[in-house]
Amino acid sequence: QVHLAESGGGSVQAGGSLNLSCTHSTFTSVNYCVGWFRQVPGKEREGVATIKNDGTTTYADSVKGRFTISQDTAKNTLYLQMNTLEPGDTAMYYCAAHLSNLAMHWVRCDNNGMHYWGEGTSVTVSS
């Protein structure tokens, strides 16, 4: 069982910054994808940013140039630096992981492919 725990959420004004953290259990699989997803009540959960163990990153178009995903593997911690925040970024942010012993080609980073989820941290951006 893999545990993930998010922190760092809060309330900020538009234009401000937040740095989310996700501490997790040690990944024992050969390959993995770990990332950030967000959800607003009444809407589907969407991918924000992901990173694979080979360093490959993906970003939602809406956050490109503003958000940066990174990880410290020694600390088992994933980060999401969020700059120039907009009211539209208001959501519950979740950390999630897909673990695989298959080749990297088969590793999934999409919403439905994640095996483990944290409980989320709330981000509110006011105008």
Side-chain angles (χ1 to χ4, degrees), residues 16-95:
S17 297
L18 284 173
N19 190 22
L20 304 184
S21 298
C22 171
T23 55
H24 56 78
S25 308
T26 299
F27 297 150
T28 58
S29 59
V30 173
N31 293 308
Y32 65 81
C33 180
V34 61
W36 294 95
F37 298 77
R38 66 187 181 187
Q39 188 169 24
V40 175
K43 293 188 176 182
E44 291 188 0
R45 187 165 50 198
E46 64 173 354
V48 176
T50 65
I51 186 167
K52 293 182 176 180
N53 54 302
D54 66 356
T56 303
T57 58
T58 65
Y59 292 92
D61 288 343
S62 60
V63 307
K64 284 180 181 177
R66 300 188 298 122
F67 291 10
T68 302
I69 189 170
S70 63
Q71 58 179 341
D72 185 331
T73 55
K75 295 181 178 180
N76 285 344
T77 303
L78 178 73
Y79 302 99
L80 184 68
Q81 177 65 45
M82 305 188 295
N83 298 326
T84 320
L85 283 160
E86 304 169 352
D89 296 318
T90 295
M92 185 69 77
Y93 283 72
Y94 298 92
C95 175

